[in-house]
Amino acid sequence: MSRKIKIGIASALTVACVLYYMFSLPDPLFDDPYSTVLKASHGQLLSATIAPDGQWRFPETDSVPVKYEEALIAFEDKRFYYHPGVDPLSLARALKQNVFDGRVVSGGSTITMQVIRLSRKGKPRTVFQKFIEMVLATRLELGYSKKEIIGLYASHAPFGGNVVGLEAACWRYFGRDLHQLSWGEAALLAVLPNAPSLIHPGKNRDLLKEKRDKLLDRLVAIGKIDAFTASLSKDEMIPEDPQALPRHARHLLTRAMKEGRAGDFIHSTLDNNLQERTEQIIHDHHQRLAANKIHNAAAIVIEVSTGRVLAYVGNTGDNSTDHGDDVDIITARRSTGSILKPFLYAAMLDEGKILPKTLLPDVPTIINGFSPKNFSKEYDGAVAANKALIRSLNIPAVHMLKTYRYEKFHSLLKNMGMSTLNRSPDHYGLSLILGGAEGTLWDIAGMYASMARTLNNYWEHPGKNRYNKNDFHVPYYNTGKDGRSGEAILEETSWLSAAAIFQTFDALKEVYRPGEESGWRYFSSSKKIAWKTGTSFGFRDAWAVGVTPHYVVGVWAGNADGEGRPGLTGTDAAAPVMFDIFAQLKEDDWFRAPLQEMEKITVCKRSGYRNGTWCNDVDTVSVTRQGLQTAACPYHKLVNVTANGKFRVHSECETMDNIIQATWFVLPPMQEYYFRLKNYSYKTLPPFRNGCQSATPLVAMDLIYPKADSKIFIPRELNGVVGKVVFELAHRNPDAVVFWHLDGNFVGSTKGNHNLPLNPPQGKHFLTVMDENGETLNYTFHVISYM
């Protein structure tokens, strides 16, 4: 073989060796599965899962406490910071000891070599393998800093049983963070990986203590600690069996894993103390609710200014899979009940379609076959918009949505952050405001927080452009992922104006409420809180959301499987939880009124509309600028009455000297019928005096049921006989007699309560009703079939 060939082969072998050396370390060095670890905003451990291989192995740490580092180096590798991965002096000492004793007493491995050995699992302990470890250790030193190597060792060293890594060991053996270790604990953990299969807490405690104490003496000898510290450290107890890890925010941990964070450290925005208190509050109320077989509840607390989630309790903590305890209710789709009504109220104010106290109809209503009912099954006739909101009346809300249009409201909700509206607006229709759509506690609480954020930030941007639509954004729980969708782009408008939001919150902060759900309720609180409850159809979902300038608290209660329970209402089940959570929060101020966007106007005190010519009792209120577009009061009318006020007259039947002109508050017939039952001060119009009927009389009556062109089903009795439908009419005059005709045939008369049971056959029918003064109503309706 020629010299050139030999040189070529040698060069090739050299290059191969160099290349092998350069690329000998796997990337990543460790391919172990890790636990998923959830931490609070200040680093406290909230919860963790065991790794898929059954080990408690936290993700690699880049921060090793000084006490542990000093103890580890003193015990394992005192020249760690001075050798290139292999310590010849240690190897020589180990060789001498092994030859002298006739057995392997010391391996002479450095910390770097031990990192390599830990990464090469299952390799035999032979001289050849030791040589490979030495080579790879020098390569590791070229690619990693000494601090990083210490971190790799601390993250992968065995600490007995199924505990791997320093941080997992700190929590399993001492129940606290690795940066809170004492010298005694640091020394114990430094010696523990030396023989983890033989020496671990709970076994051979005396031998473990002896090793720890010897290391403490060594730390004294090298000047790392003083004798007094060593003496105190030796008095520390050796831990017993491993402790259970904290189990806080376990549903958030599961959620993060589903969102691709399995095997990571999740540094959350949660406040550890608030999280624990919120979980305790949910637990306490769960004991109360379980008596009514209500098994699930959830709560979320959001910081308004940022959208950070401060507490996340996805469900009750009874660990019972029988009741769906593992379901994360915060992200589950549930019927919204009445919880969306404040958004509609604010939108109506924002467009000037109502003023805060505008009277809205609250009467039996059928719109294209949709027949909403109030929770109480009663009617007020007419009710102020703000009172309808705080009492959560359904019929006024439906009338508002009909005016606003459900297509627009659908779009508004999506723009505000409601991600569950995945069907067309026509699918939901007017039921959108009464729980016809599903929402999540995550979205809805975030939408309330966005409203509060918009109102707060109105003051942060003086000038013409005060709004940033990106203030409407989802909450976020991960410190590395902000919920905001982009840079601030200031505009003149947003999805809702500050004035409309303020007036909505101002209405919702009332504490006394005539509840549609459980009568008058009072929640004692010195704090001003805008809050709204909701209850879904069938008592399946109870909601409560509260808002202050700094926090939003959202609560849901019910059964994860959808089972309804009597008494499962927002007021009874969810609101008490919400107020207990607010008691944990520091809050002592209220939203500033955006007066630049508001105008003071006079309104009719009785109707809430802008006062017209005939309103003689007015009030001064602040409204949104768009509120200036609202119409004048349609209910006050100028009427001519006799001197004693008992009859209406006009100039053709009475001299002007005997006529008195008076203003009169007159509601439409059906509204008046129900309104006067609850408002005894309401005065109906006096009847016309005989011979003085007007050529254009005020409409005196209206049919409550059935509505014009409606389609109805006739029920059957228990014995199978076709039943009857109760036809109902409202008349201004409580003493009026009304005559009923069906298909041209007289079928009866009524007086006082105008209810008439009828049994029309299938097909189209023509109904005529006439009062004693000759006023007539004509309606057609269809009987579809018998039920």
Side-chain angles (χ1 to χ4, degrees), residues 420-441:
T420 53
L421 297 177
N422 50 14
R423 295 177 181 266
S424 69
D426 289 335
H427 172 80
Y428 305 103
L430 296 175
S431 71
L432 181 58
I433 198 61
L434 302 184
E438 292 180 331
T440 65
L441 187 58

Side-chain angles (χ1 to χ4, degrees), residues 52-350:
D53 62 353
Q55 305 294 306
W56 285 107
R57 184 190 297 107
F58 285 14
E60 292 180 356
T61 180
D62 56 1
S63 176
V64 176
V66 173
K67 291 178 182 178
Y68 175 76
E69 182 180 337
E70 296 284 2
L72 177 65
I73 291 174
F75 182 73
E76 291 283 2
D77 190 358
K78 63 183 179 181
R79 286 178 290 275
F80 172 72
Y81 276 104
Y82 306 105
H83 62 64
V86 178
D87 186 354
L89 295 178
S90 292
L91 288 174
R93 175 181 53 78
L95 180 61
K96 179 180 177 181
Q97 287 179 338
N98 296 339
V99 170
F100 182 78
D101 289 349
R103 60 188 179 89
V104 177
V105 176
S106 173
S109 294
T110 62
I111 292 174
T112 311
M113 292 171 64
Q114 292 185 55
V115 170
I116 295 297
R117 186 174 70 248
L118 290 170
S119 71
R120 302 174 73 244
K121 294 179 176 63
K123 300 297 182 182
R125 304 292 292 274
T126 64
V127 174
F128 176 69
Q129 293 298 332
K130 175 72 75 172
F131 175 74
I132 293 178
E133 288 175 9
M134 293 167 61
V135 173
L136 293 179
T138 60
R139 176 64 186 85
L140 184 64
E141 292 274 351
L142 291 177
Y144 292 80
S145 69
K146 292 288 187 180
K147 292 289 185 183
E148 288 173 330
I149 293 171
I150 286 283
L152 288 171
Y153 177 86
S155 297
H156 295 277
F159 286 88
N162 65 342
V163 180
V164 177
L166 176 65
E167 189 159 7
C170 290
W171 283 103
R172 290 288 280 161
Y173 296 143
F174 306 117
R176 58 177 171 270
D177 184 73
L178 75 170
H179 293 289
Q180 297 175 335
L181 289 176
S182 67
W183 276 108
E185 293 163 346
L188 184 144
L189 293 177
V191 304
L192 195 52
N194 186 252
S197 62
L198 175 65
I199 304 171
H200 63 82
K203 295 182 180 179
N204 303 302
R205 295 163 57 80
D206 293 339
L207 184 54
L208 180 58
K209 185 176 188 305
E210 180 183 340
K211 279 182 167 288
R212 181 199 67 181
D213 293 350
K214 283 183 179 179
L215 177 54
L216 289 169
D217 290 337
R218 188 181 303 174
L219 290 170
V220 173
I222 63 177
K224 297 299 181 181
I225 60 175
D226 56 40
F228 180 70
T229 300
S231 176
L232 292 177
S233 298
K234 290 177 182 179
D235 289 337
E236 293 181 11
M237 298 291 292
I238 302 297
E240 297 286 348
D241 294 335
Q243 302 179 24
L245 297 185
R247 289 271 291 164
H248 301 301
R250 60 191 181 90
H251 294 90
L252 181 58
L253 176 67
T254 302
R255 173 178 175 174
M257 294 174 67
K258 291 179 179 178
E259 293 176 350
R261 299 297 306 278
D264 284 352
F265 274 121
I266 302 161
H267 298 279
S268 76
T269 60
L270 302 189
D271 181 281
N272 184 63
N273 293 332
L274 182 60
Q275 177 68 26
E276 291 186 20
R277 286 293 302 124
T278 304
E279 289 181 4
Q280 184 62 50
I281 289 169
I282 289 289
H283 174 77
D284 293 345
H285 282 276
H286 177 231
Q287 307 306 306
R288 170 180 63 88
L289 295 171
N292 189 25
K293 296 184 179 180
I294 300 170
H295 300 292
N296 305 105
I300 186 171
V301 181
I302 301 173
E303 182 182 63
V304 167
S305 60
T306 61
R308 296 189 309 138
V309 177
L310 303 180
Y312 189 111
V313 184
N315 210 323
T316 49
D318 62 3
N319 298 316
S320 171
T321 55
D322 293 341
H323 300 302
D325 181 60
D326 289 334
V327 176
D328 184 356
I329 297 295
I330 289 177
T331 58
R333 297 181 176 215
R334 309 295 304 198
S335 173
T336 53
S338 298
I339 208 67
L340 301 179
K341 288 175 182 175
F343 305 124
L344 176 60
Y345 178 81
M348 292 284 282
L349 291 174
D350 199 26

Side-chain angles (χ1 to χ4, degrees), residues 714-724 759 786-787:
I714 305 296
R716 290 184 181 272
E717 305 295 342
L718 293 177
N719 59 7
V721 177
V722 177
K724 295 184 177 182
N759 185 8
Y786 302 117
M787 296 179 64

Side-chain angles (χ1 to χ4, degrees), residues 31 38 67 80 187 213 268 281 502 613 660 670 740 754 787:
D31 61 355
L38 179 66
K67 291 178 182 178
F80 172 72
D213 293 350
S268 76
I281 289 169
F502 176 81
T613 305
I660 297 177
M670 195 184 306
W740 299 74
H754 301 288
M787 296 179 64

Side-chain angles (χ1 to χ4, degrees), residues 356-428:
K357 296 183 179 181
T358 297
L359 282 183
L360 300 173
D362 183 24
V363 294
T365 300
I366 301 176
I367 303 174
N368 296 328
F370 176 52
S371 180
K373 298 290 188 294
N374 290 329
F375 190 92
S376 64
K377 304 296 190 296
E378 297 179 351
Y379 307 98
D380 282 16
V383 62
N386 60 346
K387 298 299 181 185
L389 174 65
I390 64 176
R391 292 172 56 192
S392 203
L393 298 178
N394 290 336
I395 293 173
V398 169
H399 281 281
M400 282 200 297
L401 185 56
K402 183 173 182 290
T403 300
Y404 188 77
R405 299 197 61 78
Y406 61 79
E407 299 91 344
K408 284 174 55 181
F409 190 54
H410 179 275
S411 177
L412 175 67
L413 291 175
K414 293 184 72 171
N415 287 328
M416 291 177 64
M418 193 166 175
S419 63
T420 53
L421 297 177
N422 50 14
R423 295 177 181 266
S424 69
D426 289 335
H427 172 80
Y428 305 103

